[in-house]
Amino acid sequence: MAGAYEKNLPAVPDWLNKGDNAWQMTAATLVGIQSMPGLVILYASIVKKKWAVNSAFMALYAFAAVLICWVLLCYRLAFGDRLLPFWGKGAPALSQNYLIRRAGIPESTHYYDNGEIENQMIQPFYPMASLVYFQFTFAAITTILVAGSVLGRMNIKAWMAFVPLWLVFCYTVGAFSFWGGGFFFHWGVIDYSGGYVIHLSSGISGFTAAYWVGPRLKSDRERFPPNNVLLMLAGAGLLWMGWSGFNGGAPYAANIDSSIAVLNTNICAATSLLVWTSLDVVYFGKPSVIGAIQGMITGLACVTPGAGVVQPWAAIVMGILSGSIPWFSMMILHKKSILLQKVDDTLAVFYTHGVAGILGGLLTGLLAEPTLCRLILPVKGTKGAFYGGGTQILKQLVGALFVVGWNFLATTLILLFIKLFIALRMPDDQLMIGDDAVHGEEAYALWGDGEKFDPTEHGWLGGTATAEELRPPPGFVNGARGVTINL
């Protein structure tokens, strides 16, 4: 044990802070758990039974594919040396010499107009390997969120091609622009932990993808019940608890700002859930479990761009608005808009992440507290309009418009390119069957996803019995209940 703490060991360089490193790896693991198994479980259970396997697999595949693309090219596109004002120089992040040195974001040094340094380069007190993995988990969950808009009909082969292309041409652009030292980073746009880079981008790209892929079958759009409500709650719970790593790891240290961010995150999520549920009761007469989950997600998405720079009372305000404005856009505005109804956004990612993300970004521009801003932001004097920083709202709005425009255009071009080689939507005969047609697998070894009882398939002795044996015993009802066993 004593050898592990010797100062001269290569594993313990002078710049290494073991507490920060331990927290960063823990935070990365919490964010990873949001996807694996969080969103895998949530997606598998919130959809119709016949799409459970396909929905889970889309998330599973994206998590693995993003990691390999991330270390081969994309990390340094997002956090490497500057190539363009919105993009870094792509390169592998695999060599030992690169990964064991002190972490740093080379383009994050911020200068005054006269060329003097205002804030030094971001250099956390742990190795580059910790930062590479932490940022990968953000890239993975963002890509998986896009999948939520196209569940239940996107060709799995088209999705497999879409993931690396979207990561390269959409996600890395936003990450470099706002976090990696790009032009919005230095202009002072606040995106503490991904309200724009993650939620707004996934909401816009998901909505765009849903348009180009096309809708589900009419029967699926009209009736798409979750196949396992309790499992859906388990996935949502992993998402909520994992968010402490999501926002708590953003300062790249186990410091006081990470503590504020974790507290604000949970306050806003709880407030939003309660507001959304209350509106469901007032408008529909009863609370909804799916509605509560949606309210939770909108609260988490809304607080993310400002989690570490707003006070807890502001997190409550953000929760009230994130539980009501996205609710109104989904339940009222959607039903009055022909365009919104035309686009089949399966899990309403546009509302729960896109609307909530831009709402959070603008509220951050209003409520960002000066003292908290000084703890984390590169531009000195940054503060919300509520505290006298009137131009911050304008910066937040411009940043949002860039994310909307870039993700709409890039996602469209990516899908039109894929469409030249692979059909974006599954054929109708596969859509009728679901998982068994796409993967040759089904989520549950039972029947009952709306089909009629067939004794040759669902009989009490199974499909290998003789015709005489297939005759049900007395008391056997035409279904899965009512079996009488004569002892």
Side-chain angles (χ1 to χ4, degrees):
M1 287 294 295
Y5 290 89
E6 290 181 14
K7 293 183 179 179
N8 296 325
L9 283 177
V12 191
D14 292 338
W15 47 259
L16 179 65
N17 183 303
K18 294 181 180 179
D20 283 351
N21 194 32
W23 168 238
Q24 205 63 40
M25 290 190 290
T26 301
T29 303
L30 286 170
V31 181
I33 286 174
Q34 290 183 287
S35 299
M36 283 290 300
L39 284 176
V40 170
I41 294 174
L42 181 62
Y43 282 8
S45 53
I46 202 171
V47 298
K48 206 170 184 178
K49 184 179 80 73
K50 71 175 183 177
W51 291 117
V53 172
N54 182 257
S55 300
F57 182 79
M58 288 177 72
L60 174 66
Y61 165 80
F63 191 82
V66 168
L67 176 55
I68 302 306
C69 296
W70 193 247
V71 295
L72 287 176
L73 175 68
C74 293
Y75 171 75
R76 293 172 77 171
L77 280 174
F79 294 94
D81 297 318
R82 181 179 184 271
L83 175 65
L84 297 169
F86 53 86
W87 225 3
K89 295 179 181 178
L94 290 169
S95 71
Q96 174 181 327
N97 290 337
Y98 181 77
L99 294 174
I100 67 172
R101 74 188 191 193
R102 183 176 176 181
I105 302 176
E107 299 300 332
S108 61
T109 306
H110 186 68
Y111 298 90
Y112 289 110
D113 292 338
N114 62 9
E116 294 181 4
I117 293 178
E118 179 176 356
N119 270 304
Q120 298 286 345
M121 179 177 71
I122 296 173
Q123 281 192 293
F125 294 100
Y126 46 75
M128 188 69 82
S130 297
L131 185 58
V132 170
Y133 184 72
F134 177 73
Q135 289 296 348
F136 146 69
T137 58
F138 279 68
I141 195 172
T142 311
T143 312
I144 294 171
L145 290 176
V146 176
S149 293
V150 292
L151 297 181
R153 83 283 198 171
M154 187 172 185
N155 186 340
I156 189 63
K157 295 177 182 177
W159 173 249
M160 293 171 73
F162 176 81
V163 167
L165 292 173
W166 189 84
L167 180 68
V168 170
F169 294 105
C170 281
Y171 182 81
T172 59
V173 170
F176 185 83
S177 299
F178 290 91
W179 293 341
F183 61 115
F184 286 122
F185 177 92
H186 290 293
W187 191 36
V189 177
I190 305 173
D191 189 11
Y192 172 83
S193 192
Y196 288 172
V197 177
I198 293 173
H199 300 294
L200 182 56
S201 66
S202 61
I204 297 300
S205 288
F207 189 80
T208 305
Y211 172 80
W212 289 110
V213 172
R216 289 166 289 172
L217 291 177
K218 186 173 183 290
S219 59
D220 281 350
R221 290 196 71 179
E222 292 174 348
R223 187 173 184 275
F224 205 69
N227 68 84
N228 194 321
V229 173
L230 297 182
L231 203 59
M232 181 178 70
L233 281 170
L238 290 169
L239 195 66
W240 186 347
M241 292 300 98
W243 224 283
S244 291
F246 198 100
N247 289 344
Y252 300 144
N255 58 20
I256 58 176
D257 201 53
S258 62
S259 299
I260 288 289
V262 170
L263 179 61
N264 285 338
T265 297
N266 287 274
I267 288 174
C268 187
T271 304
S272 183
L273 185 154
L274 296 175
V275 170
W276 191 293
T277 300
S278 299
L279 289 172
D280 278 349
V281 171
V282 171
Y283 196 78
F284 300 110
K286 54 188 174 183
S288 163
V289 174
I290 294 180
I293 291 174
Q294 289 170 327
M296 175 203 82
I297 292 173
T298 56
L300 292 168
C302 182
V303 76
T304 292
V309 297
V310 301
Q311 298 184 69
W313 67 262
I316 294 177
V317 173
M318 295 174 83
I320 293 172
L321 295 174
S322 65
S324 54
I325 293 177
W327 182 92
F328 178 82
S329 68
M330 185 187 302
M331 302 301 179
I332 307 299
L333 184 61
H334 175 86
K335 296 176 181 179
K336 296 182 178 181
S337 170
I338 297 176
L339 172 63
L340 293 176
Q341 290 185 57
K342 182 179 180 180
V343 178
D344 181 17
D345 183 354
T346 308
L347 299 187
V349 177
F350 174 74
Y351 302 104
T352 56
H353 294 275
V355 174
I358 195 170
L359 174 64
L362 296 177
L363 288 173
T364 298
L366 177 66
L367 300 171
E369 201 277 332
T371 302
L372 295 174
C373 288
R374 284 196 295 271
L375 296 176
I376 188 79
L377 299 179
V379 181
K380 292 181 179 179
T382 300
K383 54 188 175 183
F386 185 78
Y387 299 93
T391 60
Q392 194 61 43
I393 285 283
L394 175 63
K395 292 181 180 181
Q396 299 299 113
L397 180 60
V398 173
L401 292 175
F402 172 80
V403 173
V404 170
W406 183 273
N407 280 273
F408 170 76
L409 178 61
T411 302
T412 295
L413 294 176
I414 289 168
L415 288 169
L416 291 179
F417 173 75
I418 293 173
K419 191 177 181 180
L420 297 175
F421 309 96
I422 307 171
L424 298 178
R425 186 175 180 270
M426 298 180 203
D428 284 356
D429 58 339
Q430 288 188 358
L431 294 178
M432 289 290 293
I433 299 169
D435 290 337
D436 195 27
V438 181
H439 301 281
E441 299 164 318
E442 294 186 5
Y444 306 110
L446 49 84
W447 65 276
D449 191 25
E451 69 268 37
K452 293 182 179 179
F453 176 76
D454 181 355
T456 62
E457 183 177 351
H458 309 123
W460 70 293
L461 289 177
T464 59
T466 64
E468 182 63 27
E469 290 173 328
L470 283 172
R471 186 176 296 114
F476 189 88
V477 181
N478 187 27
R481 302 177 183 176
V483 178
T484 300
I485 301 176
N486 296 318
L487 299 179

